[in-house]
Amino acid sequence: MSDQLTEQEINQALSNLAGWAYVTDEKAIKKTFLFKNFSEAWGFMNRVALLAEKMDHHPEWFNVYNRVEVTMTTHDEDGVTLKDVTMATAMNGFAG
């Protein structure tokens, strides 16, 4: 298990993660990714899905056409952990 990060640690981590925001009342980090079309959005989701399975840490997400809205939190820890930050970093890299 990962330890829950403090709000200060989350904000520090997000300072290096373009587009991600901490949502206090949800104890989660969120970002909306926009792609050229559905195919690019789906390809992104496939890459994230493979990593999620490898890490055994899965995003909450919503997809419509070229938009993928992602919420990351660690339910077992009731908040944001290093796992969420690691996934967010990877997603930013996958999105380019």
Side-chain angles (χ1 to χ4, degrees):
M1 285 204 199
S2 295
D3 292 333
Q4 186 179 128
L5 300 177
T6 66
E7 192 164 342
Q8 181 179 6
E9 291 170 326
I10 294 166
N11 290 328
Q12 176 65 35
L14 294 184
S15 70
N16 299 314
L17 284 169
W20 288 88
Y22 179 56
V23 182
T24 308
D25 61 329
E26 294 183 38
K27 298 180 182 177
I29 56 175
K30 293 186 165 199
K31 180 174 179 174
T32 299
F33 293 89
L34 295 175
F35 299 92
K36 289 181 186 175
N37 53 44
F38 179 74
S39 182
E40 284 191 13
W42 191 261
F44 166 79
M45 292 175 71
N46 279 329
R47 290 184 75 186
V48 173
L50 292 172
L51 177 60
E53 281 296 297
K54 184 177 180 178
M55 290 182 63
D56 192 28
H57 191 62
H58 303 85
E60 297 175 23
W61 54 17
F62 178 78
N63 166 244
V64 174
Y65 183 59
N66 69 331
R67 187 178 79 236
V68 180
E69 298 172 13
V70 181
T71 301
M72 292 301 308
T73 190
T74 304
H75 296 289
D76 291 344
E77 295 294 328
D78 192 34
V80 177
T81 67
L82 189 56
K83 286 182 178 182
D84 302 300
V85 173
T86 300
M87 289 286 296
T89 301
M91 285 185 234
N92 275 11
F94 295 158

